[in-house]
Amino acid sequence: MQLLHMNQMDQTKFCCSVCLDLLKDPVTIPCGHSYCMNCIKSFWDEEEKKKIYSCPQCRRTFTPRPALEKNLLVEDLVEELKKTGLQAAPADHCYAGPEDVACDFCTGRKMKAFKSCLFCLASYCEKHLQTHYDSPTFKKHKLVEPSKKLQENICSRHDEVMKMFCRTDQQSICYLCSVDEHKGHDTVSAAAERTERQRELEVSRQNIQQRIQDREKDVKLLQQEVEAINQSADQTVEHSEKIFTELIHLIQKRSSDVKQQIRSQQETEVSRVKELQEKLEQEITELKRKDAELKQLSHTEDHIQFLHNYPSLSALSESTDSSSINIRPLSYFKDVTAAVSEVRDKLQDILREERTNISLTVTEEDVLLSPPEPKTRAGFLKYSCEITLDPNTANTQLLLSEGNRKVTFMDQQQSYSDHPDRFTGWRQVLSRESLTGRCYWEVEWRGGGVDVAVAYKNISRAGSGFGRNDKSCCLNSLSASAVLLSQCSLSKIISVRCLKKLSQM
């Protein structure tokens, strides 16, 4: 009983972990593991391109490739085992499981197939495959990796191996099909069609690899964007706190509100950037997976399986749109600092008339992931806000009504009090709210005409009218027959024309 136990242990220890058989010409590599000389040579030949050689068991790597010398002691022990008539019993993992391709010639418990023959349309374990190597009769047979789909290579109509491809019907066929129902069609050998599709596959892989590079570049840009947003937000908070310290007794509560809003907006924008970053990383992973599948497919020796699987693997998912990425380092939230400085300069006016100005500036901060520009009036109206007119700027021939949202030209002078911001030379009025960034507005009017303008706040009150100086631009002389400004297309023209002119000042 003890001798039997030792023999069982011995035969396990003297099996090659590559071929799972008793060691043949055993050699020991630097890590101490032993292999058949041919097995370890073949294994390292596959790693030749990387110039790094590893142990199949412990994965230890060696550079350069170690020289192999026979292990005479192990060889003698293996020979002793053979003399006793004992052979290495297959390990459990050598037997075919539900997901494995089983040998068609094993009886009882079947071994895993080592190769499949496209000529015999059968799969063989290493033992039963030996005939294909030894007998000249089998020399021309095509051996491929084990496959469960050999029967798919048989024509269901003629029970013949399909070795041709019909380009007209895009399907694999046998020779009899080509002279029967596919007669007159554009038919070629499966090998020829495989060659053509192989070229297409390589182009697809090149496209995938280029997309991977593009997406990796985008991910790096997004990471830089996150850092820029955080840095800019931190600087803005610091500047805001310094300014508010000077006015601590008057605007202490407002300072806290601004800080909180900046942080909230910072979190929102960083979250949006990271969401796109994660999406791009997921796409990179998917592209790498697709590339690996195509690479594996490109090495498939079975033409029919290649043609069968290629259409489903060659299709690419829609690319994530990253065209809106526009990096502007350290430029975020700078308008907030300017707005806070204006609060310091005109504290009383800000508290009374422009209470929401800072909040609007923060939320309108334009980060790279801006939503798409509205295309319809309904889309614009989702971002609408009420614009009111400033009575302190209205010319004395203008009457304000309906909560300072309507202005009417009057023949008689209005009894306005004196104010330094009032227009005296032209019948003009400014809005109470300031506009920042890219804006669009709507105006309704009745009468002979109206001028719609955008101007800097420091425009001269006694100088020339809107559009006649370097502080404003104006769309003027609109007659009653013109298209109403409430129509979105003309409103967008006004916005674009005004912004273009102001950008040149």
Side-chain angles (χ1 to χ4, degrees):
M1 182 69 69
Q2 185 176 4
L3 178 60
L4 177 62
H5 174 74
M6 289 298 294
N7 285 335
Q8 288 177 338
M9 180 185 69
D10 288 343
Q11 62 182 329
T12 301
K13 286 184 174 294
F14 295 109
C15 284
C16 173
S17 61
V18 177
C19 67
L20 305 178
D21 203 348
L22 285 175
L23 289 164
K24 305 178 187 70
D25 297 327
V27 294
T28 302
I29 62 176
C31 63
H33 291 109
S34 297
Y35 301 93
C36 302
M37 180 177 289
N38 288 337
C39 290
I40 193 63
K41 280 185 177 180
S42 300
F43 186 83
W44 282 350
D45 286 343
E46 294 179 0
E47 295 180 328
E48 188 66 32
K49 290 183 179 180
K50 295 184 287 186
K51 300 298 181 183
I52 299 177
Y53 308 92
S54 61
C55 172
Q57 286 185 261
C58 66
R59 299 301 177 185
R60 179 178 169 184
T61 58
F62 314 101
T63 303
R65 181 169 176 164
L68 297 177
E69 295 183 2
K70 282 190 176 183
N71 189 324
L72 298 179
L73 176 61
V74 173
E75 186 176 35
D76 290 339
L77 292 173
V78 171
E79 290 301 318
E80 288 296 323
L81 281 174
K82 288 181 179 180
K83 290 178 181 178
T84 64
L86 295 174
Q87 297 296 324
D92 287 340
H93 63 267
C94 296
Y95 290 107
E99 302 300 323
D100 300 317
V101 179
C103 174
D104 292 318
F105 290 84
C106 284
T107 58
R109 189 177 180 185
K110 292 182 176 292
M111 303 289 291
K112 289 182 181 178
F114 184 71
K115 293 286 184 180
S116 294
C117 178
L118 295 182
F119 188 90
C120 302
L121 295 179
S123 298
Y124 301 86
C125 65
E126 199 168 10
K127 175 182 177 182
H128 291 110
L129 184 66
Q130 195 61 39
T131 306
H132 275 72
Y133 295 135
D134 298 339
S135 174
T137 306
F138 300 99
K139 289 297 183 182
K140 294 184 179 181
H141 287 201
K142 179 69 173 179
L143 298 177
V144 297
E145 293 302 310
S147 172
K148 288 185 176 182
K149 301 179 179 180
L150 293 178
Q151 292 304 313
E152 293 182 7
N153 293 10
I154 302 297
C155 174
S156 59
R157 182 180 179 88
H158 301 105
D159 201 26
E160 293 284 341
V161 178
M162 295 185 291
K163 297 182 179 181
M164 303 187 70
F165 187 82
C166 178
R167 288 176 172 172
T168 304
D169 296 328
Q170 290 294 300
Q171 67 181 75
S172 300
I173 60 174
C174 69
Y175 174 75
L176 294 178
C177 289
S178 67
V179 297
D180 192 356
E181 63 266 32
H182 292 270
K183 184 178 182 180
H185 290 189
D186 181 11
T187 60
V188 295
S189 69
E193 183 66 12
R194 161 65 185 271
T195 300
E196 180 66 25
R197 297 294 179 89
Q198 184 78 27
R199 285 195 292 265
E200 296 178 5
L201 181 147
E202 294 303 325
V203 172
S204 297
R205 288 196 63 205
Q206 290 175 8
N207 292 336
I208 288 177
Q209 290 166 2
Q210 182 60 49
R211 281 176 58 178
I212 290 174
Q213 293 177 6
D214 293 342
R215 291 298 165 264
E216 288 176 339
K217 181 179 179 180
D218 290 341
V219 169
K220 291 180 180 178
L221 289 175
L222 290 173
Q223 183 58 41
Q224 294 172 4
E225 190 71 6
V226 171
E227 295 172 358
I229 293 172
N230 289 334
Q231 182 179 0
S232 181
D234 292 341
Q235 290 177 351
T236 304
V237 170
E238 180 182 351
H239 295 161
S240 298
E241 289 181 327
K242 181 178 179 181
I243 294 171
F244 276 115
T245 300
E246 300 173 6
L247 305 171
I248 190 66
H249 298 293
L250 297 175
I251 56 172
Q252 186 174 20
K253 184 179 183 302
R254 192 62 184 150
S255 175
S256 177
D257 293 342
V258 171
K259 178 180 177 180
Q260 181 179 359
Q261 194 168 15
I262 291 172
R263 288 302 190 191
S264 176
Q265 189 69 10
Q266 173 191 0
E267 181 179 355
T268 299
E269 299 303 333
V270 170
S271 177
R272 292 168 62 194
V273 173
K274 287 187 175 180
E275 182 179 352
L276 178 56
Q277 180 180 358
E278 181 179 358
K279 190 174 182 180
L280 291 174
E281 289 174 341
Q282 290 174 351
E283 181 177 347
I284 290 172
T285 300
E286 177 63 20
L287 287 172
K288 288 182 177 179
R289 182 190 66 78
K290 176 69 73 173
D291 183 52
E293 291 177 349
L294 289 176
K295 180 179 180 181
Q296 182 178 358
L297 180 61
S298 70
H299 294 137
T300 299
E301 300 176 52
D302 187 340
H303 304 319
I304 301 304
Q305 289 305 310
F306 177 90
L307 298 175
H308 179 73
N309 294 327
Y310 175 75
S312 61
L313 293 178
S314 61
L316 296 180
S317 60
E318 183 177 352
S319 175
T320 301
D321 181 17
S322 61
S323 60
S324 61
I325 297 178
N326 182 20
I327 307 303
R328 298 181 303 284
L330 305 181
S331 65
Y332 304 107
F333 302 101
K334 67 178 182 179
D335 289 342
V336 181
T337 302
V340 175
S341 298
E342 186 177 355
V343 172
R344 178 192 60 195
D345 297 338
K346 293 190 175 183
L347 177 60
Q348 294 301 327
D349 289 340
I350 291 295
L351 292 177
R352 184 178 67 253
E353 300 175 0
E354 300 184 19
R355 185 172 182 178
T356 61
N357 185 45
I358 299 176
S359 297
L360 289 174
T361 304
V362 174
T363 56
E364 290 172 0
E365 187 64 39
D366 182 19
V367 186
L368 82 165
L369 301 177
S370 302
E373 180 179 313
K375 302 296 183 182
T376 64
R377 182 173 183 272
F380 280 104
L381 291 179
K382 290 193 301 183
Y383 306 97
S384 65
C385 61
E386 296 290 337
I387 299 295
T388 57
L389 302 174
D390 186 355
N392 292 331
T393 66
N395 182 270
T396 55
Q397 284 191 275
L398 300 179
L399 174 64
L400 304 186
S401 60
E402 296 184 6
N404 293 337
R405 298 193 67 247
K406 178 180 179 180
V407 58
T408 306
F409 170 68
M410 307 296 291
D411 292 331
Q412 66 275 21
Q413 298 282 332
Q414 303 300 304
S415 57
Y416 292 130
S417 60
D418 292 337
H419 197 282
D421 291 340
R422 191 172 310 286
F423 286 103
T424 58
W426 293 78
R427 294 187 291 271
Q428 300 175 158
V429 61
L430 291 177
S431 65
R432 185 186 301 273
E433 294 79 14
S434 298
L435 301 178
T436 60
R438 190 174 183 185
C439 303
Y440 137 87
W441 62 92
E442 296 182 351
V443 177
E444 296 181 2
W445 80 93
R446 292 189 301 273
V450 65
D451 292 352
V452 181
V454 60
Y456 289 111
K457 196 170 185 178
N458 62 350
I459 186 173
S460 173
R461 301 308 198 261
S464 56
F466 290 145
R468 294 173 172 83
N469 50 60
D470 62 356
K471 296 295 184 180
S472 65
C473 67
C474 179
L475 187 64
N476 51 33
S477 301
L478 295 176
S479 66
S481 62
V483 179
L484 288 176
L485 287 176
S486 60
Q487 294 187 5
C488 181
S489 60
L490 184 54
S491 300
K492 289 178 68 177
I493 293 173
I494 294 172
S495 176
V496 171
R497 290 178 63 183
C498 289
L499 288 173
K500 183 176 180 181
K501 184 173 181 181
L502 283 177
S503 66
Q504 297 171 349
M505 293 182 178

